[in-house]
Amino acid sequence: MNMLPTYDDVVDAAGRIAGAANFTPVLTSRTVNEEFGAQVYFKCENMQRMGAFKFRGAYNALSRFSPEQRRAGVVAFSSGNHAQAVALSARLLGMPATIVMPQDAPAAKVAATQGYGGKVIFYDRYTEDREQIGRELAEKHGLTLVPPYDHADVIAGQGTAAKELFEETGPLDAFFVCLGGGGLLSGSALATRALAPNCDLYGVEPEAGNDGQQSFRSGAIVHIDTPKTIADGAQTQHLGKLTFPIIQRDVDDILTVSDDELVQCMRFFAERMKIVVEPTGCLGFAAARKMKESLRGKRVGILVSGGNIDLARFAGLIA
Ligand SMILES: *Cc1c(COP(=O)(O)O)cnc(C)c1O
C-alpha cells in the first residue's frame, strides 16, 4: 500500500502556500438559498491565481523540491489548468518548467503557459504517449515530474481549499466537489473528515465520464476511453493509486451530471452571481441542484473549481 497523505499534510501545505495562493472568497446567493430552502456556500476557486485550485497543489509540490531538483526544474504533461499551475509556481519559486502539451491544445492555453515562463514541448496526441515523453525528459535532463493528481503533495495542496471553507463556515451538512482524477476530491476528503466529520461528501463527474462512479461502486479502479464532454478538466480516464483509496474510505457517493446541466449552471453563475465559471467548475453546483429537495434546511458547501474558458467559447455555450 502506498503511503496516503493525511490531514496533517493538508495543514503543512496550507502553511507553504500561504502568501503565494489567494485565500479565495466564499460567495452566497439569496436566489440559490431560496431555490434550495437551504444555506449554500460557494468556495470560489475560479478566483484562485491562474484561475483554478490547481495552483494550490502545484505550488505545494514544487516548494518541497530539494536544491538540486530546483536547479534542474520540473516537467508536467497537461493541456489544461495543471500546466499553467506548474508554470506559474515554477516561476514564483525560481525554477525552470517544461510542459508537454498536445499539438492541438487551444492557443490560449499554450500562450498562458508560455506567458508564465513555461517551455512548451508539443506531442501528437494520436500517435505519441505523453507520459512516456514526460518520463524521458525527466530522465534525460534530471527533471522532476509532477503529475496532475496522483501525488501526495498535490493532493495535500488541493485539500487546502476545503480547509479554508470549513474554517470560514464551520461544519456543513453536505459538500459537493468536482471530480476528474481525484486530487481535489481526495484532498477535500481529508479536510472534511477532520473539520466536518459528519458532512455528506459527494464527488461529481460528467455523465459521459463516470469512471469514478464505476470505480467507487465496484471497489476497483475502472479505466475508460477519453470521454466526450464540455467538462474538459474532468476528461480523465481513471482515478489514481493514491486518490482512489482515500475517495473509497472518506467519500459518501459519486454523482453525475449532463453537459446541459453544466451549461445551465454556467449561465446562472454569470447572470445571477456575476462570476465566470468553466464547465468543469460547475459540476458540484449542478449535482446539488438536482438533489435540492433532500438538502432542504441544510448547510451546503459547493466547490467551484475554476474559471478558465475562452470567452468566445463561453459565449457560444451560454447563448
Ligand atoms: C483539474 C480540474 C478538476 C478535476 O480535478 P482532479 O484533481 O483531477 O479531480 C476540476 N475542475 C477544474 C477546473 C480543474 O482544472
Side-chain angles (χ1 to χ4, degrees):
M1 176 77 141
N2 295 297
M3 277 289 282
L4 300 179
T6 68
Y7 180 63
D8 286 343
D9 298 313
V10 178
V11 173
D12 290 346
R16 277 185 214 105
I17 69 169
N22 291 340
F23 198 102
T24 53
V26 176
L27 296 187
T28 58
S29 155
R30 282 172 210 268
T31 309
V32 173
N33 289 346
E34 274 164 32
E35 179 189 327
F36 279 60
Q39 181 68 47
V40 183
Y41 299 96
F42 295 92
K43 177 65 171 170
C44 287
E45 287 296 299
N46 55 317
M47 297 178 195
Q48 186 50 264
R49 281 184 89 162
M50 58 57 58
F53 71 90
K54 287 226 173 52
F55 180 73
R56 296 173 182 270
Y59 191 88
N60 185 50
L62 268 60
S63 60
R64 298 202 67 193
F65 278 20
S66 70
E68 295 93 277
Q69 285 178 303
R70 281 183 195 232
R71 227 170 290 124
V74 60
V75 59
F77 43 82
S78 164
S79 56
N81 289 330
H82 181 61
Q84 292 171 59
V86 167
L88 174 58
S89 300
R91 193 187 72 188
L92 295 173
L93 292 163
M95 67 176 95
T98 304
I99 312 293
V100 183
M101 280 191 171
Q103 265 151 13
D104 56 354
K109 295 206 166 161
V110 176
T113 304
Q114 289 169 332
Y116 290 131
K119 179 179 166 199
V120 176
I121 293 188
F122 292 104
Y123 75 101
D124 181 343
R125 73 160 101 206
Y126 301 101
T127 61
E128 292 177 296
D129 176 359
R130 65 179 191 173
E131 300 199 16
Q132 195 187 328
I133 295 173
R135 269 194 301 271
E136 278 169 13
L137 282 167
E139 262 171 46
K140 199 163 150 205
H141 304 289
L143 311 182
T144 303
L145 184 66
V146 175
Y149 55 87
D150 212 19
H151 186 291
D153 297 331
V154 172
I155 293 168
Q158 316 307 31
T160 59
K163 175 178 181 290
E164 287 176 11
L165 173 66
F166 288 119
E167 284 173 352
E168 186 163 336
T169 63
L172 299 172
D173 302 308
F175 186 26
F176 295 83
V177 179
C178 318
L179 171 60
L184 181 62
L185 180 59
S186 57
S188 300
L190 299 176
T192 304
R193 291 300 159 241
L195 301 176
N198 299 320
C199 179
D200 291 331
L201 176 59
Y202 300 101
V204 187
E205 285 179 315
E207 242 165 47
N210 72 336
D211 60 288
Q213 187 180 58
Q214 292 182 48
S215 305
F216 186 78
R217 294 181 182 177
S218 72
I221 298 174
V222 171
H223 291 240
I224 60 168
D225 289 338
T226 302
K228 281 204 175 65
T229 167
I230 58 170
D232 52 355
Q235 278 181 314
T236 40
Q237 294 172 268
H238 56 87
L239 298 178
K241 290 190 181 68
L242 298 174
T243 61
F244 178 60
I246 297 173
I247 289 169
Q248 239 194 344
R249 184 190 65 199
D250 288 342
V251 172
D252 290 289
D253 202 2
I254 311 281
L255 312 170
T256 64
V257 300
S258 70
D259 280 4
D260 274 353
E261 288 162 340
L262 293 176
V263 169
Q264 285 169 29
C265 290
M266 281 172 71
R267 195 179 291 128
F268 182 92
F269 278 133
E271 197 167 61
R272 305 306 294 263
M273 294 179 69
K274 318 302 171 193
I275 58 176
V276 175
V277 182
E278 62 183 279
T280 316
C282 295
L283 285 165
F285 184 38
R289 253 183 156 176
K290 272 172 64 167
M291 56 181 277
K292 64 187 175 199
E293 273 74 39
S294 66
L295 298 172
R296 211 156 261 289
K298 296 194 170 166
R299 287 160 41 80
V300 180
I302 291 175
L303 210 151
V304 179
S305 58
N308 288 330
I309 179 164
D310 183 86
L311 276 189
R313 182 157 172 262
F314 182 80
L317 284 171
I318 65 171

